[in-house]
């Protein structure tokens, strides 16, 4: 069965510092991969997605993610964090044979001044 | 477009009561799904549908029923509410291609006493 692991429950970074959020998945083939962001009290919004082609994908708000097949990872990065990036981030996997999408437990990002 | 709408926003039930959470989308999306979000557990898939008349179980379907009589609507029914169903419920929809992201509603916060 497919699964998604986000090893960090929460991360604190200083404003202006770089950010990397980790995501590992378990699936037999290359799945479709997504990163979503959830601000407090809100629904989820897509940051970026990968399904084929270039393994480095760009998203909104200056985020990017890199798919590494050998490591079954899809880590999210941002070179310089802004205070408004404080939110919860979810990695999600959709298998190529259907529509079922599984989410990781999420990583809550705190940004300090 | 209103996007994905959910009603009610908040609900308090007593154990054993039943209710229906409403979800509607006006984007003509084929795929719709229901998730519950609990602290530290991310989003867990309850049920999903790939089109009118077609539904399937997700990770945590017990205690919930769904139906999809139209493309627009995907209600979630709690048959006999239990305190373990206290959660925030999100409905999501997407176009029928598997690489497409999901659009989320604002959520329904349900408390079962």
């Amino acid at each position: 069965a497919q699964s998604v692991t986000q090893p960090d429950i929460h991360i604190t970074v200083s404003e202006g510092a770089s950010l990397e959020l980790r995501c590992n998945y378990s699936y037999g083939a290359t799945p479709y991969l997504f990163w979503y962001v959830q601000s407090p009290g809100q629904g989820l919004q897509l940051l970026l997605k990968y399904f084929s082609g270039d393994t480095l994908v760009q998203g909104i708000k200056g985020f990017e993610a890199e798919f590494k097949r050998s490591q079954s990872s899809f880590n999210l990065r941002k070179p310089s964090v802004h205070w408004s990036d404080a939110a919860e981030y979810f990695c999600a996997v959709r298998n190529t044979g259907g529509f079922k999408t599984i989410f990781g437990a999420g990583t809550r990002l705190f940004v300090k001044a | 477009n209103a996007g994905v709408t959910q009603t009610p926003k908040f609900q308090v039930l007593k154990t054993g009561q039943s209710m229906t959470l409403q979800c509607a989308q006006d984007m003509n999306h084929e795929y719709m799904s229901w998730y519950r979000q609990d602290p530290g557990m991310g989003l867990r898939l309850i049920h999903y549908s790939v089109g009118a008349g077609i539904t399937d179980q997700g990770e945590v379907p017990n205690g919930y029923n769904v139906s999809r009589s139209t493309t627009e609507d995907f209600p979630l029914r709690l048959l006999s509410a239990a305190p373990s169903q206290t959660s925030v419920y999100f409905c999501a929809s997407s176009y029928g291609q598997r690489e497409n992201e999901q659009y989320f509603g604002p959520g329904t916060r349900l408390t079962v006493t």
Side-chain angles (χ1 to χ4, degrees):
Chain A
Q2 63 195 80
S3 65
V4 181
T5 301
Q6 294 181 245
D8 304 304
I9 297 172
H10 54 79
I11 282 181
T12 300
V13 299
S14 298
E15 192 169 17
S18 64
L19 170 71
E20 182 169 29
L21 302 182
R22 296 182 291 166
C23 173
N24 293 95
Y25 66 89
S26 172
Y27 183 60
T30 299
Y32 298 111
L33 298 159
F34 306 84
W35 274 101
Y36 289 86
V37 60
Q38 183 182 34
S39 298
Q42 304 293 315
L44 279 70
Q45 178 187 20
L46 178 76
L47 282 176
L48 47 77
K49 62 183 178 183
Y50 172 82
F51 54 92
S52 68
D54 193 345
T55 57
L56 184 64
V57 293
Q58 303 296 320
I60 63 171
K61 305 184 181 187
F63 285 91
E64 65 178 28
E66 185 172 13
F67 168 61
K68 293 187 177 180
R69 185 192 309 273
S70 61
Q71 299 176 19
S72 296
S73 69
F74 188 56
N75 294 349
L76 182 71
R77 301 194 293 248
K78 186 170 185 178
S80 178
V81 169
H82 188 262
W83 64 266
S84 61
D85 293 324
E88 190 152 22
Y89 292 80
F90 292 94
C91 181
V93 168
R94 173 180 283 173
N95 69 60
T96 55
F99 286 90
K100 187 184 295 188
T101 304
I102 303 299
F103 283 76
T107 298
R108 182 166 294 278
L109 173 65
F110 297 95
V111 180
K112 60 182 181 181
Chain B
N1 280 354
V4 180
T5 58
Q6 293 182 238
T7 55
K9 290 191 186 309
F10 302 94
Q11 183 70 48
V12 179
L13 290 179
K14 294 188 187 304
T15 298
Q17 288 184 317
S18 62
M19 79 159 295
T20 298
L21 306 185
Q22 300 293 342
C23 174
Q25 52 90 10
D26 60 358
M27 297 173 282
N28 203 30
H29 286 170
E30 296 95 328
Y31 178 81
M32 297 186 74
S33 56
W34 275 102
Y35 293 88
R36 58 177 290 173
Q37 183 177 28
D38 303 290
M41 304 191 74
L43 279 78
R44 291 182 292 168
L45 182 64
I46 304 172
H47 286 285
Y48 64 101
S49 168
V50 298
I54 306 170
T55 64
D56 205 349
Q57 296 182 350
E59 302 169 273
V60 289
N62 292 343
Y64 307 95
N65 270 0
V66 293
S67 60
R68 183 98 180 267
S69 56
T70 67
T71 300
E72 294 78 18
D73 300 297
F74 191 45
L76 178 73
R77 282 181 288 276
L78 280 70
L79 308 173
S80 177
S84 60
Q85 294 179 304
T86 293
S87 187
V88 180
Y89 291 84
F90 287 99
C91 179
S93 71
S94 71
Y95 287 110
Q97 290 75 36
R98 295 181 179 88
E99 64 267 25
N100 289 325
E101 67 272 23
Q102 296 182 85
Y103 293 80
F104 284 82
T108 294
R109 184 174 294 274
L110 175 68
T111 302
V112 183
T113 61

